[in-house]
Amino acid sequence: MDKIQILVIGRNEQIVATVERLINNNPAWQATTCLTDEGAIAACDKQVFDLVLLGGGIDTRSESILRTAIRARQPGLKVIQHYGGGSGLLATEINMALAVK
């Protein structure tokens, strides 16, 4: 079974690393992380993702740029905001996003 590929974009290196660890603790999920818009866009050029998770610190301008660039590369790819709050909320956010097509 292929793992669900999740791109995590955030600005705080420690928080992004924590989210990556939590995602990768689920044997069905695989996280790829980026701290910059450019890195995230490049990741979408190289790999197909099932979900994009926007973490904290991304301002509205960057969010707009990211959503536009990601949609251009992978139309239909779900992009959601991660609000923090621990592993239970993270899992719920991911599961809900993946359930909605």
Side-chain angles (χ1 to χ4, degrees), residues 4-90:
I4 293 168
Q5 298 298 314
I6 302 170
L7 176 60
V8 179
I9 309 167
R11 298 299 188 245
N12 183 297
E13 188 174 356
Q14 292 172 330
I15 292 172
V16 169
T18 298
V19 172
E20 177 183 30
R21 179 181 48 80
L22 292 170
I23 289 172
N24 289 341
N25 279 342
N26 183 319
W29 299 343
Q30 177 65 47
T32 298
T33 62
C34 296
L35 297 172
T36 66
D37 296 351
E38 297 80 12
I41 293 166
C44 287
D45 285 334
K46 294 182 216 167
Q47 183 178 349
V48 175
F49 292 98
D50 298 296
L51 180 65
V52 176
L53 201 66
L54 299 177
I58 298 174
D59 61 35
T60 54
R61 180 178 176 277
S62 283
E63 181 177 347
S64 178
I65 289 167
L66 287 166
R67 286 181 183 273
T68 300
I70 289 167
R71 284 189 189 117
R73 285 156 176 80
Q74 297 186 33
L77 178 58
K78 186 116 180 153
V79 179
I80 65 167
Q81 185 71 43
H82 170 57
Y83 294 102
S87 61
L89 179 58
L90 175 64

